Amino acid sequence: SAKTSNAPRRAGKQERRQVASRVMSRGALLTLPNVLSLSRLALVPLFVAIPATGTRVALVAAAALTDLLDGWLARRRGPTRLGAILDPVADRVFVLGAIPVLLVEGALTAWQCLVLLSRDIATTIGFVAYLRYQDLNLHRPGSGLGAGLGLAAMNFAALVAAIWVAY
């Protein structure tokens, strides 16, 4: 007899959307993408506590990698309600934790800090407004992927440059 599979990657486009909707509505907590997002939160105190330039660059690289991986996995396996909130929160917490440290240590000037933080504050306000006024159906395969990767690359480059140039 032929094997049948319920794997979302083999299903048609409509079926993948239905599977993603079921996964997201189940409110799964310990999915791999969610664990990766949580790991970014654990990197913040390390960034604050360890002043070594190489270590900080590695922490920023780890944060960027976990962000890339959790997004890729969530798009492939289907997002969860927690993941839809946890991923952007983890991103903001990491950036909002790293930038003030670099300001206090003199690695960034006040205006550089303001420029970097204003982008994240605006993104946070936009996300909160979206949650307030829209349905939380965020799974649209491929939507914003290029822009998201571009922003992640720019954030990574800006933080690495700030750390490297300052020390």
Side-chain angles (χ1 to χ4, degrees):
S1 71
K3 284 182 155 181
T4 58
S5 173
N6 292 331
R9 64 184 173 92
R10 293 189 184 161
K13 189 174 187 177
Q14 183 64 27
E15 290 177 62
R16 283 194 308 268
R17 286 185 180 156
Q18 290 171 348
V19 168
S21 178
R22 283 193 305 269
V23 169
M24 198 157 159
S25 67
R26 76 173 188 224
L29 296 176
L30 288 179
T31 64
L32 184 54
N34 291 352
V35 170
L36 288 169
S37 291
L38 286 170
S39 73
R40 271 197 309 286
L41 294 175
L43 297 176
V44 176
L46 294 174
F47 189 94
V48 172
I50 302 172
T53 302
T55 302
R56 283 189 171 163
V57 169
L59 291 171
V60 171
L65 181 63
T66 60
D67 190 26
L68 180 70
L69 278 174
D70 76 36
W72 181 79
L73 287 168
R75 281 187 298 279
R76 188 148 196 217
R77 296 178 178 179
T80 63
R81 282 183 132 350
L82 176 63
I85 295 168
L86 185 60
D87 178 54
V89 167
D91 293 342
R92 300 294 83 77
V93 168
F94 187 85
V95 171
L96 295 175
I99 291 174
V101 168
L102 296 173
L103 175 68
V104 168
E105 293 178 353
L108 293 175
T109 64
W111 73 267
Q112 290 169 325
C113 184
L114 182 63
V115 168
L116 291 170
L117 288 177
S118 64
R119 180 223 167 248
D120 280 293
I121 291 168
T123 303
T124 301
I125 291 169
F127 184 71
V128 169
Y130 177 81
L131 290 178
R132 172 95 170 104
Y133 298 108
Q134 297 291 322
D135 179 32
L136 190 59
N137 185 8
L138 301 176
H139 182 67
R140 295 180 310 234
S143 64
L145 179 59
L149 289 174
L151 282 173
M154 288 180 357
N155 280 343
F156 174 71
L159 280 173
V160 168
I163 294 166
W164 207 264
V165 169
Y167 302 102

